[in-house]
Amino acid sequence: MPAKTRLAKHSAKIESADRDASHSASLGNRQPNQACEISPSGGLSETDLGRRSVWQRRQWLAWTSVAGAAVLTGCRETSKSDESESNTTVRTDVPLRVVWTGTDADAETLRRTWQSISEQPLKITVITPPNTSSETAEDQPAIWDAAAKAEVIAYPLSQLGEMVSRELIMPSLQSESSEDSGTSTTKSDPPAVRVAMTFSQEPRAKCLGGSLPALMVGEKAATKVSTSAAITWGDLEQLAAEFPGQVAEPTAEGWAGVSYLWRLASVLSATWLFDRNTLEPLLTQPEYVDVLRQMAATAKHGPESSMTPGEIFRDVGSGKLVAGLGFPQVATDQTDAEDEATLTSNVQVAAFPIAESGVVDADGVALARTGRVVLAPQTLVGSLAASCRQTAAANQFLKWLAGGQGSEPLYRSIPGLQHPTASSSIDDATGGNYQPWLRTAWQNPNVMPPLNLVGGDRYLAVLDSEVRQCLTGDKTPEDACAAISKSWSDLHNEFGVKKQKRSWQQALGLL
């Protein structure tokens, strides 16, 4: 029986008992054994005694009612209204334990910015971002021990699956009232971000770095193509051949494998990366191999030095590159940032290229732009820790971190932060046409997971290493895809196929 129903019945009994006692006293219906004989010197009339008896009985029944309510309240589950009430009380004298994936300088910027709007002290543990080198992936410092003792955890999206598997994070609180505090944001997350932050059909994190890669075409290349929205991957390869060293996509360490995932998502409508029932890697299938082959062919005409998405974005804006795939990142030089803001207004920004016209996959399905997108595995996200002891304060801090009022300095100073609800993101100053495009791209809910498995960073390290070897000519596309599949299968066995299958199905929203 619900607590409120039981309390209502208990109150009804009190009222009934009061009425009975009062009625009995007023009529003087005493029982023979009642101690209501008053001596002449006692000073109490029979009426007074009846009133006192009624008062004592009321007092006893009221006390038992309060005690019962306390027991029932302590035993029942916390409701959403309770959560809302608890969120209104935030202690500011106890340090909030935060795990931050980044640098010490980032953590200090975070601390200073938070202190400018809140008296709540922060105790920040800094974790080095995962190393994508396959040689050191197993030896890098783990975030898990620190996460087990935190209130708020900021970590890369690639670790979301393992965070859930280890039960280190709790689902996001649903109360998003604009009445909470001045630090909360009143804007809701767009569809792409909501889907990316959902795991096992529950929202698990707040997006802190939601940049999506775009195709950027400068003025020189714009005359060679009809419109950037209709460019095929073949057109991009031809453009790279016509402008040697001036067409780029991210191939730096840690980004080559991600670029391959972006290409796959843009053209393949087939099952994503693994067989859903057996978890067998699908990269040896012809359509996966063909995508890597075309990527390698384009890279032959690219810049001599491998580049990151931010470097490509900057150089297309400055005119050093005629076209490229990337997104804005924090500029380190203010003068360059101002020049960049002026020049990128002449850059066309569009979604990734489409497949060749008339090309079909192994099932005879025409390959075109699928509408799929993939957030970079390096995307920074934030979650409430399962070990959180200050839920109200931690939730307030997390909402502020995810673009709340007063967080603007973070988005101008810390690389990788780019949130759709932030009132001042880095692209406001340097992005030109990118920001309007990104707002539209965020409306696409067709988001694929970036290897959200237990040990996801190691899966990514293998992918990145093999793709880079293919791009440098050390391996053929067939051999690279076979090596990736073999290594991924070995990782399945190491972590447990059953566990990984469950994580992957949760990442896809099937469980």
Side-chain angles (χ1 to χ4, degrees):
M1 182 185 298
K4 290 183 179 179
T5 303
R6 283 179 281 182
L7 288 175
K9 289 189 174 182
H10 200 39
S11 298
K13 290 181 180 178
I14 294 174
E15 293 174 1
S16 177
D18 288 345
R19 286 194 301 268
D20 292 344
S22 176
H23 181 68
S24 176
S26 64
L27 295 178
N29 293 331
R30 304 192 309 269
Q31 296 299 325
N33 61 345
Q34 279 184 304
C36 60
E37 296 295 335
I38 308 299
S39 64
S41 61
L44 287 177
S45 69
E46 183 176 334
T47 302
D48 292 333
L49 180 60
R51 289 176 178 173
R52 187 174 67 173
S53 176
V54 170
W55 180 84
Q56 289 174 336
R57 182 166 185 170
R58 284 184 177 178
Q59 186 181 43
W60 181 83
L61 288 173
W63 181 88
T64 57
S65 174
V66 172
V71 172
L72 292 173
T73 303
C75 294
R76 66 185 176 88
E77 294 181 356
T78 302
S79 66
K80 288 186 178 180
S81 61
D82 294 331
E83 291 179 357
S84 178
E85 291 173 3
S86 66
N87 285 346
T88 61
T89 304
V90 178
R91 293 189 60 178
T92 60
D93 58 331
V94 180
L96 198 64
R97 299 169 298 166
V98 177
V99 172
W100 178 265
T101 302
T103 66
D104 291 333
D106 296 343
E108 185 56 32
T109 299
L110 176 63
R111 190 193 314 277
R112 288 198 313 268
T113 307
W114 174 248
Q115 287 178 346
S116 68
I117 66 162
S118 174
E119 297 179 357
Q120 179 93 34
L122 299 179
K123 182 180 180 182
I124 304 176
T125 300
V126 178
I127 301 294
T128 303
N131 193 323
T132 55
S133 172
S134 59
E135 290 78 13
T136 61
E138 295 183 62
D139 302 327
Q140 57 191 325
I143 191 176
W144 320 118
D145 290 343
K149 304 172 185 177
E151 259 95 35
V152 176
I153 313 168
Y155 57 98
L157 180 59
S158 60
Q159 295 177 343
L160 176 59
E162 189 157 357
M163 286 287 180
V164 174
S165 179
R166 289 175 177 261
E167 299 182 346
L168 291 173
I169 59 175
M170 66 174 73
S172 300
L173 299 184
Q174 297 302 302
S175 59
E176 294 292 339
S177 172
S178 60
E179 302 294 331
D180 286 349
S181 70
T183 61
S184 68
T185 175
T186 59
K187 302 178 183 178
S188 61
D189 290 340
V193 174
R194 288 201 303 269
V195 173
M197 298 300 105
T198 298
F199 194 89
S200 188
Q201 301 180 10
E202 286 188 293
R204 298 282 184 166
K206 282 286 189 181
C207 185
L208 309 179
S211 292
L212 291 173
L215 168 66
M216 297 164 292
V217 179
E219 288 184 296
K220 290 182 181 179
T223 59
K224 303 292 182 178
V225 295
S226 55
T227 171
S228 57
I231 292 179
T232 66
W233 286 108
D235 292 335
L236 187 66
E237 181 182 348
Q238 183 177 349
L239 196 64
E242 188 170 349
F243 293 94
Q246 298 183 68
V247 176
E249 67 181 298
T251 57
E253 184 176 345
W255 288 103
V258 177
S259 291
Y260 178 50
L261 293 179
W262 287 340
R263 278 180 172 254
L264 288 174
S266 71
V267 297
L268 294 186
S269 58
T271 302
W272 181 244
L273 300 181
F274 302 103
D275 183 277
R276 295 178 181 178
N277 296 319
T278 65
L279 210 63
E280 178 185 358
L282 303 176
L283 272 67
T284 55
Q285 294 185 1
E287 54 265 40
Y288 283 86
V289 177
D290 289 344
V291 170
L292 184 55
R293 179 180 292 109
Q294 189 169 58
M295 181 178 178
T298 305
K300 290 181 180 178
H301 307 294
E304 292 184 3
S305 300
S306 56
M307 304 180 71
T308 66
E311 291 170 342
I312 294 171
F313 182 89
R314 179 196 62 208
D315 285 359
V316 173
S318 67
K320 295 178 181 178
L321 297 176
V322 300
L325 308 174
F327 50 70
Q329 293 176 303
V330 173
T332 57
D333 186 276
Q334 187 62 36
T335 302
D336 289 345
E338 293 174 354
D339 293 341
E340 191 176 319
T342 302
L343 293 170
T344 52
S345 61
N346 297 320
V347 174
Q348 297 182 31
V349 180
F352 266 30
I354 60 176
E356 296 288 353
S357 301
V359 175
V360 297
D361 62 16
D363 297 324
V365 178
L367 293 176
R369 183 181 289 117
T370 64
R372 287 176 169 178
V373 295
V374 180
L375 267 69
Q378 299 94 327
T379 298
L380 198 63
V381 303
S383 295
L384 295 178
S387 57
C388 182
R389 297 181 301 195
Q390 303 182 70
T391 306
N395 192 47
Q396 184 184 74
F397 172 77
L398 183 57
K399 289 192 290 184
W400 169 82
L401 186 60
Q405 182 180 352
S407 65
E408 292 85 356
L410 298 179
Y411 290 82
R412 292 194 296 265
S413 307
I414 298 179
L417 293 188
Q418 170 80 44
H419 193 267
T421 62
S423 58
S424 178
S425 296
I426 182 62
D427 188 58
D428 290 341
T430 64
N433 295 329
Y434 175 82
Q435 188 76 7
W437 172 84
L438 182 62
R439 293 192 186 100
T440 300
W442 271 330
Q443 302 307 311
N444 177 16
N446 197 3
V447 179
M448 306 309 293
L451 291 169
N452 278 340
L453 295 162
V454 175
D457 292 327
R458 292 178 60 187
Y459 284 80
L460 287 165
V462 168
L463 175 67
D464 190 69
S465 175
E466 295 296 336
V467 168
R468 284 189 287 114
Q469 289 185 64
C470 177
L471 299 183
T472 58
D474 294 335
K475 284 188 176 181
T476 66
E478 292 81 1
D479 290 342
C481 286
I484 295 168
S485 296
K486 172 65 167 57
S487 296
W488 282 1
S489 294
D490 291 342
L491 288 172
H492 288 347
N493 293 327
E494 178 181 338
F495 292 112
V497 175
K498 185 177 180 180
K499 177 192 291 185
Q500 297 297 67
K501 179 180 176 181
R502 177 175 178 80
S503 288
W504 188 242
Q505 290 177 339
Q506 288 176 324
L508 294 172
L510 303 177
L511 290 178

